[in-house]
Amino acid sequence: MPPEQTIGGLDLAGLNPPQREAVLHGDGPLVVFAGAGSGKTRVITHRIAHLIAERGVAPWRILAVTFTNKAAGEMRERLAALVGGGARGLQVGTFHATCARLLRRHVEYPGLQAQAVRRDFTIYDDQDQRAMVKRVMDELNLSTKQLPPKRVQGAINQAKQEVLGPDDVELGDPWREIVQRVYALYDEKMRAAGALDFGDLIYRLVVALEMDDALREELAGRFRYVLVDEFQDTNHAQFRLVKALGSVHGNLCVVGDDDQSIYRWRGADRRNILDFRSTWPGTRIIKLEQNYRSTQRILRVAHAVIRRNLEREPKQMWTENPEGDPVLVVRTEDERDEGRMVVRGAMELRQKGEPLREIAVFYRTHAQSRVIEEALRQANLPYRIVGGVRFYDRAEVKDLLAYLRVLHNPDDDVSLLRIINTPTRGIGKTTISRLLDDAAEAGTGVWGAVRDADESRRLGAGAKKKVRAFRELMEKLRDEAFHLPLADLGGAVLEDTGYLQVLKNDDSPEADARLENLQELVGSMQFFASEREEADLASFLEEVTLQSDVGEDDGGEEDKLTLMTVHAAKGLEFDTVMVTGLEEGMFPMRGTAPGEDPEELEEERRLAYVAFTRARRRLILSYAAVRRIYGQTRPGDPSRFLHEVPREDAKWIGAEVRSSRPSRRAYVPDPWDAPRRSPAEEAGLGPREAGESYIDYSEGSDFGGFTTGMMVRHPKFGVGQVRRVEMGMVPKAHVLFPGWGPKTLAVKYLEPV
């Protein structure tokens, strides 16, 4: 007998059997493991609609919690379409918005009174919170240079995620004792100010619910049905909040996918969904394993990677979609060749009628976007960046470029004003205003006022001392700019200004990302210097300015290709997805070195699964044989994830042939119709011949009289050591030159020492 297509007035025809089972589940705890593209939002909204329209549950007795305002808005829109005005009074919102509303509504309860929560509390954002932390540290005479406020702020937020108050912080080492002191005074001042930070919104409600039986019974009694989306992304405090809200009735429905848990670094614990049944005996488990998004081949490739994780709920995703094209695995020569591959692919697809907006390029870190952006600009292909800023628009990149511009032209007032107090050196707005007045009076630029600051009538002795120190720093850097090679100048500026040390002291993921971007810019200077015979600061700044000036505008509905990190791709989908940088140490980035937490590798594997399953029709995976990034050149060993791709579901392009001779690189025809330039051609050494192959020789091998390990001389770079010899139409050697770094050169330009 076929399943019922409608229940009362609610149409269930669009639901598959497991989805229908989840929608019609009665009372009691329910976990819905919803695989990628399996329609979980449809299940949540139809379940809520069923509770309201068919079971007669009052909307105000239902609480639905999401992680983003976008998800909450989408849920409300779908519910409005399903039940119309019948959803009025339904509580749908993010964790933070839900908790803020409940705190204001129930401040009279003892559990909140004991924490001095006021109905008119102010919510501090991250910057407000950090300012308060800095104020507390100043009051405790703690050095904010040696111990950045942002790091202490992160420790306090982590404690709140674990539902730990100031007195609960475990002591035993100097760092924890400092955190405990700052946390205690911070908590005191926040209460006095009637303010709550983002962490407080959840933390204080959890504490109140667990200590105040009346409040817990009130809220758990009011919300008879609690539904939580993306439950794999909840932290400990959020888990305890959900547990308290379901304590009276147990009518909890949590939806998520442990295979898509990719936020461990910010406190998410996928064990919350994996171990839910142990907290709530009798939990019903339903798995949504039919994928409506991707082709069969894409699903098989994604499953081949994720199934190797040990701690996961077994799932076998399947689809009625077509088999689809093979997944392309593309070997590129280096990161620039990879950028050109992206351009060729996008142009070919657009010529075949694919809109650019249906093409996405993913990378593991923001720093990887620079080379891809440059390739897209050169090809005049419009693009947008999701969850990030264009490389040359990032604050830290603009800061270093401003320093370089001032070294090239001290009269560049805009750049000088940007860096005169960056990093902070005590030259505040008042001092800058007086310098501007001095410059106007003398008819000079700002640098003239800085140079003559000792003679200023407007500046006090303290301000003169700070401006003098800045002037001496810039004079030292100008001298270095005159003597140092361009390849070394960027690193010297970051070191001498203290910019590098400030970021190193700020032990946070954001600071790490900024460091990577700066290292990438320094690396681009080194590459520029190695590629140009006459590479100087002026020519480098000219090229960068032209690159950054051709950028795109995110406004409007223009058809644009999308760039983003894998983390930013969660919840999105595209017809074509290109995942770049699939090399060991790049993707997976962590969990691969001896002594590292194996859980890091499992998280990287989940990231790959998320990336692959964003694709509907085409998936292209690329890696570079050599990658210059963060100011370093590294060999591109193919990611273990590529080796896990089933051979029958993939087409390897220009990629390593797995055979008894693993060193040999064989090339097959390019997947795109657009012509491809060989490394020899890129170097201006002649055209590529059909059937050309490259061989990576093992240590001690010999070719044309050159062996790995031997010393050679180059007329420009001096003496260096051969690291690898490569056969092709034009024989080449990879040589490490002290002071210049690694270079790839035709052997005819080298002579043995």
Side-chain angles (χ1 to χ4, degrees):
M1 181 176 178
E4 294 179 86
Q5 297 300 300
T6 59
I7 298 292
L10 185 63
D11 185 7
L12 303 182
L15 303 177
N16 63 36
Q19 290 175 333
R20 187 180 296 108
E21 184 182 356
V23 167
L24 301 180
H25 170 74
D27 290 351
L30 168 67
V31 173
V32 180
F33 284 100
S38 62
K40 67 179 177 61
T41 304
R42 172 176 294 194
V43 167
I44 295 174
T45 52
H46 274 73
R47 175 161 173 76
I48 293 173
H50 171 68
L51 290 171
I52 295 172
E54 311 305 333
R55 296 190 57 188
V57 178
W60 58 270
R61 286 192 170 276
I62 301 173
L63 173 65
V65 186
T66 69
F67 269 84
T68 66
N69 290 315
K70 179 182 177 182
E74 181 181 354
M75 195 175 294
R76 291 191 198 98
E77 290 177 4
R78 293 199 188 191
L79 284 166
L82 288 172
V83 294
R88 188 174 293 111
L90 173 69
Q91 299 288 315
V92 179
T94 65
F95 272 99
H96 290 116
T98 298
C99 289
R101 186 166 53 245
L102 295 178
L103 287 171
R104 292 192 194 279
R105 188 175 296 168
H106 299 90
V107 292
E108 72 278 4
Y109 279 82
L112 294 175
Q113 289 289 308
Q115 300 181 80
V117 176
R118 294 165 22 181
R119 194 179 305 276
D120 61 347
F121 62 79
T122 301
I123 300 176
Y124 279 10
D125 63 17
D126 287 340
Q127 291 186 354
D128 297 329
Q129 183 191 21
R130 194 173 309 133
M132 179 64 85
V133 169
K134 185 179 184 302
R135 174 183 166 191
V136 168
M137 292 180 68
D138 289 340
E139 190 168 323
L140 293 174
N141 294 318
L142 295 171
S143 171
T144 56
K145 291 185 178 179
Q146 296 180 353
L147 194 61
K150 192 171 184 179
R151 185 180 178 193
V152 180
Q153 175 190 19
I156 292 173
N157 289 339
Q158 184 177 3
K160 291 178 181 179
Q161 288 180 4
E162 297 296 322
V163 197
L164 299 175
D167 296 335
D168 302 318
V169 175
E170 184 179 344
L171 303 178
D173 60 58
W175 161 245
R176 291 179 180 177
E177 291 175 4
I178 290 174
V179 170
Q180 195 277 335
R181 289 175 59 203
V182 176
Y183 189 3
L185 185 55
Y186 169 85
D187 188 67
E188 179 183 321
K189 290 190 176 295
M190 289 289 284
R191 293 188 187 210
L196 301 179
D197 58 42
F198 288 141
D200 281 327
L201 295 174
I202 300 174
Y203 162 72
R204 297 205 181 280
L205 183 57
V206 170
V207 170
L209 286 168
E210 293 181 348
M211 68 180 291
D212 189 334
D213 293 343
L215 177 61
R216 185 171 63 256
E217 291 174 5
E218 160 67 20
L219 293 183
R222 173 182 177 173
F223 298 118
R224 299 293 299 177
Y225 295 90
V226 178
L227 302 94
V228 186
D229 191 15
E230 303 285 9
F231 197 69
Q232 78 280 351
D233 292 333
T234 53
N235 59 37
H236 185 64
Q238 291 162 337
F239 179 83
R240 282 167 64 169
L241 173 67
V242 173
K243 181 180 177 181
L245 292 176
S247 59
V248 170
H249 47 73
N251 293 327
L252 297 173
C253 171
V254 301
V255 183
D257 182 10
D258 56 299
D259 287 337
Q260 298 184 71
S261 179
I262 59 174
Y263 299 116
R264 179 173 180 257
W265 51 275
R266 69 183 189 194
D269 188 349
R270 76 190 188 290
R271 290 174 298 184
N272 289 345
I273 193 168
L274 290 174
D275 299 341
F276 189 87
R277 69 199 87 183
S278 64
T279 304
W280 296 91
T283 295
R284 188 176 185 182
I285 305 293
I286 297 175
K287 298 180 183 181
L288 306 183
E289 297 173 303
Q290 182 176 359
N291 177 284
Y292 292 91
R293 177 187 301 153
S294 306
T295 65
Q296 295 180 31
R297 274 181 157 148
I298 290 173
L299 276 188
R300 286 199 296 266
V301 167
H303 179 70
V305 171
I306 196 63
R307 71 181 179 85
R308 286 170 167 80
N309 273 1
L310 299 178
E311 296 185 18
R312 62 182 291 265
E313 182 71 20
K315 292 177 288 294
Q316 180 61 60
M317 299 300 296
W318 63 279
T319 183
E320 293 179 345
N321 290 339
E323 181 82 356
D325 297 332
V327 171
L328 295 182
V329 180
V330 184
R331 176 191 186 269
T332 62
E333 290 302 311
D334 55 24
E335 73 284 356
R336 291 176 179 270
D337 191 26
E338 188 174 54
R340 291 189 289 269
M341 182 276 294
V342 168
V343 168
R344 289 194 303 272
M347 293 180 70
E348 171 72 10
L349 290 169
R350 186 167 67 168
Q351 289 170 4
K352 292 180 177 179
E354 178 97 335
L356 287 178
R357 62 178 172 273
E358 285 298 339
I359 305 172
V361 181
F362 298 164
Y363 35 78
R364 182 64 181 80
T365 67
H366 284 296
Q368 291 170 255
S369 77
R370 178 185 66 84
V371 175
I372 298 172
E373 289 182 65
E374 289 178 0
L376 291 169
R377 289 192 188 100
Q378 290 170 4
N380 200 29
L381 282 178
Y383 68 92
R384 66 190 183 106
I385 292 183
V386 173
V389 181
R390 290 182 302 159
F391 183 82
Y392 289 111
D393 287 342
R394 292 164 192 164
E396 61 277 6
V397 171
K398 292 176 76 69
D399 289 343
L400 178 52
L401 289 174
Y403 270 108
L404 296 174
R405 289 189 174 108
V406 173
L407 296 183
H408 173 61
N409 173 22
D411 294 327
D412 181 350
D413 284 357
V414 172
S415 295
L416 181 60
L417 290 173
R418 181 180 182 92
I419 51 93
I420 193 170
N421 197 41
T422 303
T424 303
R425 51 178 60 94
I427 302 177
K429 292 181 179 178
T430 300
T431 300
I432 293 173
S433 176
R434 291 172 179 172
L435 285 171
L436 290 170
D437 290 341
D438 284 346
E441 183 178 291
T444 67
V446 179
W447 177 251
V450 169
R451 185 187 57 224
D452 301 331
D454 287 338
E455 311 302 323
S456 173
R457 296 176 288 102
R458 295 180 173 89
L459 298 179
K464 288 181 178 179
K465 181 179 179 181
K466 293 170 182 174
V467 174
R468 187 185 313 122
F470 173 68
R471 182 189 70 223
E472 292 171 352
L473 168 67
M474 296 306 296
E475 288 172 345
K476 175 188 176 185
L477 288 174
R478 289 198 72 194
D479 183 64
E480 290 181 342
F482 182 76
H483 292 97
L484 283 177
L486 177 65
D488 299 333
L489 182 57
V493 170
L494 292 175
E495 191 71 42
D496 292 349
T497 60
Y499 203 113
L500 200 62
Q501 194 59 47
V502 168
L503 291 178
K504 287 180 178 178
N505 289 340
D506 185 355
D507 186 18
S508 69
E510 293 83 1
D512 290 344
R514 296 181 69 190
L515 275 171
E516 290 174 353
N517 290 332
L518 288 171
Q519 290 166 347
E520 177 66 11
L521 180 58
V522 170
S524 73
M525 296 176 69
Q526 295 168 346
F527 181 78
F528 182 85
S530 70
E531 291 288 297
R532 303 291 181 93
E533 285 295 330
E534 299 296 332
D536 57 15
L537 181 57
S539 57
F540 173 75
L541 289 174
E542 178 181 320
E543 174 154 306
V544 167
T545 302
L546 292 175
Q547 286 284 353
S548 57
D549 188 53
V550 185
E552 42 66 52
D553 178 12
D554 273 339
E557 297 298 323
E558 185 182 351
D559 187 33
K560 299 176 182 178
L561 182 143
T562 301
L563 305 182
M564 69 183 77
T565 65
V566 179
H567 279 103
K570 180 107 176 274
L572 303 177
E573 57 185 75
F574 303 87
D575 279 349
T576 300
V577 167
M578 304 182 190
V579 185
T580 61
L582 278 158
E583 300 125 32
E584 285 294 304
M586 181 63 65
F587 195 2
M589 178 180 292
R590 294 184 295 269
T592 60
E596 283 194 292
D597 184 358
E599 172 57 26
E600 295 284 1
L601 179 57
E602 294 216 348
E603 179 110 341
E604 294 288 312
R605 204 176 286 283
R606 291 192 292 272
L607 271 170
Y609 177 76
V610 167
F612 297 175
T613 55
R614 300 308 95 193
R616 298 191 195 102
R617 299 168 56 196
R618 285 174 291 271
L619 177 61
I620 301 156
L621 313 176
S622 68
Y623 72 97
V626 175
R627 183 174 298 276
R628 302 172 188 88
I629 193 165
Y630 312 145
Q632 300 176 340
T633 300
R634 59 175 72 171
D637 294 329
S639 167
R640 68 190 65 196
F641 302 153
L642 295 180
H643 291 295
E644 294 163 2
V645 171
R647 291 179 64 91
E648 62 274 15
D649 290 316
K651 181 179 181 182
W652 291 63
I653 306 298
E656 182 177 355
V657 176
R658 304 175 195 180
S659 68
S660 59
R661 298 181 62 190
S663 63
R664 184 169 181 85
R665 313 283 185 180
Y667 284 86
V668 297
D670 197 284
W672 314 114
D673 292 339
R676 178 178 178 181
R677 289 162 61 85
S678 71
E681 190 176 356
E682 291 295 336
L685 301 176
R688 179 178 190 155
E689 291 187 351
E692 177 184 5
S693 62
Y694 294 81
I695 295 180
D696 295 342
Y697 282 81
S698 59
E699 187 69 26
S701 61
D702 174 81
F703 179 73
F706 290 87
T707 61
T708 54
M710 76 180 296
M711 305 303 293
V712 295
R713 187 186 306 278
H714 183 269
K716 176 179 179 180
F717 303 121
V719 176
Q721 184 180 49
V722 176
R723 293 299 179 88
R724 184 158 54 95
V725 185
E726 194 170 83
M727 182 184 75
M729 176 183 166
V730 178
K732 294 184 293 182
H734 298 255
V735 187
L736 179 63
F737 293 98
W740 293 93
K743 306 292 178 184
T744 302
L745 303 162
V747 296
K748 68 180 181 180
Y749 296 119
L750 302 171
E751 62 178 7
V753 175

